[in-house]
Amino acid sequence: MISLDLERVRAACPERLILWRETTGSTMTEAARLAAEGCPSGTVVGADEQTAGQGRLGRSWHSEKATGLYVSIVLRLPLEPVGLPVLTLALGLAAAEAITRVTGIPCDLRWPNDVLVGGKKCAGILVQLLDQGAVVAGIGINVNQTRFPPELEPIATSLRLATGREYSREPLLIALLAAVDSFVKILLDEGPETILRLFSQASSYVVNRRVAVDQGERTLTGVTEGLDPSGFLILRREDGTRTLIVAGGVRPLPE
Ligand code: BTN
């Protein structure tokens, strides 16, 4: 197992507090603890391996040792909770930009912030609001996995599977942190409209996509019709009515 070269990342981001674990339950828990202890905004905690990686909607996140990038970033931003959905979109844009910058692979975004390569998921983002108003942005990128458990095989990919090349995690992490800073700055300086526009341009899911939305107790189907000003997804149902999707797992349906 080759651990991440933390000094290389720290040298590229000298201002930032970056902590690294060989193995941990979840970097989300570590980041929440650091935030409660008062760590500065931008603090990063990552791990070579997670034994209880968390995904959206109560799912787990497959976190094989040293093949993926698993990080949580503590953000203290002048944003009301109502701004969180757009922050979530901004983080997806950041992950996609970092991947494309380092690998040259074009990415798609599936609302709210799954990053897809060739239609399969290669990165996911979990955003948690803490009691003290800080936000933890948990980002998982599948980098060098060569296979996935059978239940993930049809829907997951890695940068290596997509290109046939192996990637160092350090340049990807450096690009990711820069991209997160850059999209957060766009959100704070220009407002949510710019993020909504950029996300809509980058995602094939925002408009005119037939999808199913799993919401636990029910599954809705319809065609997407854009984002509302809060960053929620508008779904036109088969009966012509519109439903605002504030949470759920979106998956494509045949046209
Ligand atoms: C998703 O379901 O798409 C979100 C996945 C988020 C995974 C990352 S890996 C680093 C951080 N720690 C976790 O336990 N989850 C997030």
Side-chain angles (χ1 to χ4, degrees), residues 26-28 50 53-56 61 71-72 121 124-125 139-140:
S26 165
T27 59
M28 299 305 284
Q50 299 185 115
Q54 303 166 18
R56 285 178 63 240
W61 184 257
V71 293
S72 292
K121 183 160 165 174
I125 298 165
I139 304 176

Side-chain angles (χ1 to χ4, degrees), residues 9-21:
V9 181
R10 283 186 176 147
C13 318
E15 309 287 298
R16 199 186 286 267
L17 181 59
I18 308 176
L19 306 174
W20 204 263
R21 311 281 182 240

